Amino acid sequence: MSTELGPEHTMADTTEPHTTTEAITLGLHDASPQHLVDAMADNVELELGWGRLIFGQTFAEPTELAEALRREGPGRRDICIYARESHVLVAMAPHELFLDPSHTYRLRFTGEQQEAQKSPVAITVRSLRSIADADAMNRVYVRCGMVPAPTEVIWYNHENADAVEYLVAVRDDDDTVIGTVTGVDHERLFSDPEQGSSLWTLAVDPAASLPGVGEALTRELAGIFARRGRAYMDLSVAHDNAAAIALYEKLGFHRVPVLAIKRKNAINEPLFTPIPETVDDLNPYARIIADEATRRGIHVEVLDAETGEMRLSHGGRSVVTRESLSEYTSAVAMSRCDDKRLTRRIVGEAGVVVPRGRLATFDDGDHDFLAEVGDVVVKPTRGEQGKGITVGVTTDEELDSALARAREEHPEVLIEQRAPGDDLRLVVIDGRVVAAALRKPAEIIGTGKHTIGELIEAQSRRRAAATGGESVIPIDEITTATVAEAGWSFDDVLPEGERLRVRRTANLHQGGTIHDVTADVNPQLCRVAVTAAEAIGIPVTGIDLLVPDVTGEEYVFIEANERPGLANHEPQPTAAAFIDFLFPGQPGLPQAWTPEHAPG
C-alpha cells in the first residue's frame, strides 16, 4: 500500500490510547510548566521550502505566535503544531487563521530499539546523495498535488540541519526516485524535553505502480528516530484520508489530541471554505486545470463534471474547456486528429515520417500486406484510449482476430507496419513542447507468493487508485495472450523480483505507466512534434512517436491526440502552459527562496 500526503496531512505523531502518562506528556502542548519551556529554544521556526514548521510550544507569547503565522509568504504553506491553546490562537485572528481538519497520530517507541524492516521488492530506501535527488523529490511532490520546495532549501537542510532527515525510495533497476519523506528531530532542533520527532511530506509517485513504498519510508524514518532514543514520532493526516489512516494504524500509530493551525490562503482554501461539489467530481485531467486556474485567481465554473467541461473567466475573457480541449481548437483540427488515416496523410505531406500502412479491405490484400512487412499494428481509424488496438500481429489468424476487434470500435480499420521502439508522448501547447514522456505497457513484479492473476488485479487496483479510476488493466484475450507469449498463465506464481509485461500497448487507460523524459528528449523530436501540430492546425495536442532512443533522432509518427491528459505529465508545467495559452499574461503565484529563510 502506498500513500500520498500533502503538507496539509504531513506531520507524524504516535501514541498509545489515552493513559494517565500520555495525558501528562501531552500537557506540555496546552499548559507547559515553566521549567520545561525554559529548557527549549525560543520561537522555533523551521524552513522546509514549501513553508515553515512553527513549533507552537516554543512560543511563550501567543501574540508572537499569531504574528509568526501571519508572516507567511505567497505561494507557501506554513504549519503551526503543538500550540498550547490552539482555540485562543485562532480567536486572535479568526479572519486569517484556522484549525486544520486533520488528525494527529503518534507512534510511541518501545524500550527496544526499533529495527528498520526489509524494503519491498524492487525498491531501496536511502538518504539523499545529490541535489538531483532533491529535484526528484519535487517531481514526486508535484505529482501528488503538493507544494514543491526549492531544491536549494532541501539540499541546504540536508547538508547543514542535523535536525532534518530526508529519505527517498528509489527503484532498484534505475535508481528513479518514486517516494520521499521528511523527518524532524525535535530534540536536535530545540532540545525538546519530550524527546519527540515528527514525519512530514510523505509522498509516493502515483505512477510508481509498486506496493509498500509509503510503508517502507515510514518504517525507515521511525527506525532512525527510535535508534536515536526518541520517545515517539508524530504525523498529521487529513481526517478523510482513509487509506493513509489505515496504513498508520497498521504500523501501530494512535490518535492524539494535538491540533495544527494554518493561515487562510489560496492553497489552503479547500480546507476552510467548502468548494463546489462538482469541482471535487472532476477527473484528474480537468481538476489539474481547475486548480491551476484557481491559483491564479481565474474563476472556474464547472459546466459538466462528468465530461470535465468548465468555463474559465478572468476580466473580460471567458473560455470553455473540456479537460485540455478548448474553444481555440477548431472543429477541423479535431476531425483531423479523430481520423487516424487523415492524420497520417496530413503530417506525412508535412515531411513527418509515418509507417507503411493501408486501410483494411478485409480480404487477401490485408494478408498480403502482413506477409510483406512481417509485423503490424491494427487499429480503428477513429477512437481513443487504446480501444480496439492490437500490437504485434504476425500471423494470419492473429490478423483476422485483430481486424474483428478493431471493427467493433469503428467500421474503418488501419493496418500499419510495426516499428521498433518505445512510445513517446510529446505535449505541444501553443507551438512548443512542454513535456515529453515514455509510455510503457503495464507490467507486474513477482513476489514469489502470488499468482500472476492476483498480481494483475493488485496492480490494476493501484493504477485505478492513483488515477481516479482512469487506468486499469483489462482482463481480456489480449492480456491472456500477452502472458501466454511469455510462457506463463494467470495461475502461475511469478518468482520474486521477476518482471512480466502483461499488455502490448502503452496506453495509460489500459494500465500503462508514464516516465518523464523532458530533460533528455532530442530537440529534433520536439521539432517533429511541433511540425506535426502545425500541419494539423491544432494548438494543444499530444503527438505520439515510436522511438528507439529518446536522445536520438530516429522516429516514426503514430498519431495525434486532440485532448492530451495534462495530469499525466506532472511535474512538467503542462497545466500552467495551458492556462498561459488561454490567458496570456496572467502570472502564477511566485515561489521564491532567499538566504534569510535558511534554518538557524
Side-chain angles (χ1 to χ4, degrees):
M1 166 186 258
S2 64
T3 61
E4 305 135 29
L5 306 180
E8 71 268 25
H9 21 74
T10 51
M11 165 177 170
D13 190 20
T14 74
T15 315
E16 313 291 327
H18 262 258
T19 63
T20 304
T21 302
E22 188 63 21
I24 294 173
T25 301
L26 291 173
L28 170 61
H29 310 311
D30 297 320
S32 301
Q34 191 59 45
H35 71 280
L36 291 182
V37 175
D38 292 342
M40 295 187 292
D42 295 331
N43 298 3
V44 176
E45 303 173 24
L46 175 62
E47 176 60 60
L48 289 177
W50 46 260
R52 295 169 298 156
L53 292 183
I54 302 173
F55 290 86
Q57 74 271 48
T58 67
F59 285 73
E61 297 297 331
T63 54
E64 294 180 1
L65 181 52
E67 185 56 35
L69 276 164
R70 296 168 74 180
R71 289 198 304 269
E72 179 184 68
R76 293 161 58 76
R77 176 178 281 179
D78 295 343
I79 303 173
C80 173
I81 195 75
Y82 305 125
R84 297 178 206 159
E85 296 179 327
S86 300
H87 57 297
V88 174
L89 180 61
V90 171
M92 296 179 71
H95 58 297
E96 292 187 77
L97 307 179
F98 71 100
L99 291 175
D100 180 34
S102 295
H103 296 318
T104 300
Y105 273 77
R106 172 168 294 177
L107 177 65
R108 181 165 292 283
F109 303 134
T110 62
E112 298 179 1
Q113 185 181 51
Q114 179 168 329
E115 294 295 334
Q117 297 193 8
K118 180 183 177 183
S119 294
V121 172
I123 72 166
T124 297
V125 175
R126 60 169 173 79
S127 183
L128 303 190
R129 292 177 180 169
S130 68
I131 198 167
D133 283 341
D135 189 52
M137 286 171 57
N138 272 330
R139 297 187 209 280
V140 176
Y141 289 157
V142 173
R143 280 188 174 272
C144 293
M146 296 162 60
V147 179
T151 54
E152 58 266 34
V153 178
I154 297 174
W155 193 248
Y156 180 95
N157 285 344
H158 173 69
E159 292 277 87
N160 300 282
D162 65 353
V164 182
E165 190 75 34
Y166 293 110
L167 298 177
V168 291
V170 299
R171 290 181 177 273
D172 289 340
D173 56 355
D174 59 9
D175 209 38
T176 299
V177 173
I178 59 173
T180 180
V181 69
T182 302
V184 178
D185 188 325
H186 301 177
E187 162 61 23
R188 291 185 177 183
L189 184 63
F190 55 86
S191 301
D192 180 19
E194 290 191 333
Q195 292 286 307
S197 63
S198 52
L199 174 155
W200 300 87
T201 51
L202 173 63
V204 177
D205 188 339
S209 70
L210 290 172
V213 180
E215 178 176 344
L217 286 162
T218 303
R219 287 186 182 279
E220 182 66 26
L221 186 64
I224 289 172
F225 288 142
R227 290 189 292 275
R228 288 182 188 173
R230 301 300 166 252
Y232 59 79
M233 184 173 76
D234 286 355
L235 64 81
S236 179
V237 56
H239 71 94
D240 55 356
N241 193 339
I245 289 173
L247 168 63
Y248 297 136
E249 291 181 345
K250 167 188 170 184
L251 296 178
F253 286 79
H254 297 279
R255 275 183 61 183
V256 292
V258 174
L259 303 176
I261 301 167
K262 296 177 181 175
R263 183 174 172 271
K264 293 180 178 179
N265 59 30
I267 300 173
N268 290 328
E269 187 171 0
L271 301 178
F272 62 85
T273 301
I275 59 177
E277 185 177 355
T278 48
V279 172
D280 277 336
D281 292 338
L282 290 171
N283 66 35
Y285 306 110
R287 184 62 185 264
I288 187 177
I289 295 168
D291 288 345
E292 178 65 23
T294 299
R295 279 194 286 269
R296 300 191 188 199
I298 297 170
H299 178 68
V300 177
E301 177 188 358
V302 177
L303 303 178
D304 185 62
E306 184 176 354
T307 61
E309 285 195 12
M310 304 175 288
R311 180 180 288 111
L312 310 181
S313 306
H314 186 269
R317 192 180 187 91
S318 180
V319 185
V320 174
T321 65
R322 180 182 177 186
E323 297 175 3
S324 63
L325 182 66
S326 77
E327 295 176 284
Y328 298 130
T329 294
S330 70
V332 172
M334 276 196 62
S335 66
R336 289 171 173 173
C337 286
D338 186 46
D339 188 335
K340 294 179 177 62
R341 181 180 53 162
L342 180 59
T343 308
R344 277 173 48 90
R345 187 170 74 238
I346 290 173
V347 301
E349 291 173 352
V352 175
V353 179
V354 298
R356 292 183 59 189
R358 64 178 267 120
L359 187 67
T361 52
F362 306 100
D363 57 19
D364 290 341
D366 297 337
H367 293 279
D368 292 341
F369 180 75
L370 173 61
E372 183 179 352
V373 300
D375 192 351
V376 299
V377 177
V378 177
K379 54 189 174 184
T381 60
R382 298 177 186 271
E384 58 182 6
Q385 300 181 357
K387 296 177 180 177
I389 296 178
T390 306
V391 177
V393 176
T394 58
T395 68
D396 288 343
E397 293 76 14
E398 289 176 347
L399 179 60
D400 290 337
S401 296
L403 288 171
R405 192 178 303 115
R407 210 172 188 179
E408 290 176 358
E409 299 296 327
H410 192 268
E412 293 186 332
V413 177
L414 190 63
I415 308 174
E416 292 182 334
Q417 182 178 10
R418 184 184 183 188
D422 294 320
D423 189 336
L424 174 66
R425 163 64 61 89
L426 296 149
V427 178
V428 180
I429 298 179
D430 199 20
R432 66 188 183 94
V433 172
V434 298
L438 284 178
R439 303 192 299 173
K440 297 184 178 180
E443 70 172 14
I444 56 176
I445 301 177
T447 62
K449 301 176 183 177
H450 300 90
T451 67
I452 289 173
E454 291 170 339
L455 292 172
I456 292 175
E457 291 177 0
Q459 172 73 333
S460 191
R461 286 195 301 269
R462 285 193 293 272
R463 295 295 295 136
T467 61
E470 294 288 320
S471 179
V472 295
I473 303 174
I475 302 297
D476 57 16
E477 58 182 301
I478 293 179
T479 302
T480 304
T482 305
V483 171
E485 283 176 7
W488 301 93
S489 73
F490 283 2
D491 294 329
D492 292 331
V493 174
L494 195 63
E496 180 176 345
E498 182 161 342
R499 296 175 180 270
L500 176 64
R501 183 169 289 187
V502 297
R503 297 290 291 185
R504 294 168 180 163
T505 62
N507 193 278
L508 299 182
H509 291 274
Q510 297 182 13
T513 58
I514 191 162
H515 307 268
D516 182 70
V517 293
T518 306
D520 305 318
V521 69
N522 190 296
Q524 177 58 24
L525 299 180
C526 294
R527 284 189 283 270
V528 168
V530 172
T531 297
E534 291 176 345
I536 297 167
I538 189 166
V540 179
T541 181
I543 300 296
D544 294 339
L545 309 176
L546 273 177
V547 298
D549 181 358
V550 296
T551 65
E553 297 186 359
E554 188 178 348
Y555 74 91
V556 169
F557 175 87
I558 304 175
E559 62 183 36
N561 190 308
E562 76 278 4
R563 185 163 46 94
L566 302 185
N568 295 329
H569 297 273
E570 292 182 297
Q572 300 303 329
T574 51
F578 183 64
I579 296 298
D580 287 342
F581 166 65
L582 300 181
F583 297 88
Q586 179 64 27
L589 292 171
Q591 293 187 12
W593 180 80
T594 54
E596 60 265 23
H597 292 138

